[in-house]
Amino acid sequence: MGKLAWMACVVAVWAWGVGAQAQPVYKWVDADGKTHYGSQPPPAKQDAEPLKLQSNNGTSGGSTSSGNKGASAKAGQQYNPDGTKKVSKDVEEFGEGLKKSLGTVDSLQVPLNCAVAVDNIHYQADLMLEVGQKNVRDGYMTQAAFDSAAPKIREAKGKYSVSDCQGASGNKKSFYQCMSSSKNHVTGCDKQYKH
């Protein structure tokens, strides 16, 4: 990806809309007292529980006794200086954990599979764009921030193809091999295998 770092794009797009994730996200503490986040808890950690993040409308999942949910949620909403909605402490904490998790590469190496690697890269780039657009619609990201990050994501996505993978060597080949695992994210693979 050269000078363009995936992490900068991911931080700009993912960090503010982590509540938009549909799959459950688990939080657990390991034996050393370190907090972890993931889409699945480790098998040995049965006490991990799903986090309750914001729903799609930016409010917590709880209900109100009055029939006027929207008005009460709107009245309690706080905003950042740029006019975007503030996220709850739980969501902010999750966002930090997510950034750290996305930057980590699974230690189990899989064989290079160019078709899978390119599919994973393209899927993740498209998902970043989709989440970014949702964040703009929901008020968690400014249009200007999205407009700044989106072209970088699209440009990066366009640089990866099966033929490029087949001709890759060195760190670029290692990056494609890293992306052959559906457990890895472009941020972690790019961080480990700069090319």
Side-chain angles (χ1 to χ4, degrees), residues 7 97-105 185-189 191-192:
M7 185 58 86
L98 179 63
K99 285 189 288 187
K100 186 175 181 180
S101 176
L102 293 177
T104 304
V105 172
H185 193 270
V186 290
T187 57
C189 293
K191 183 172 139 184
Q192 187 160 337

Side-chain angles (χ1 to χ4, degrees), residues 52 72 113 149:
K52 292 180 181 172
S72 63
N113 182 326

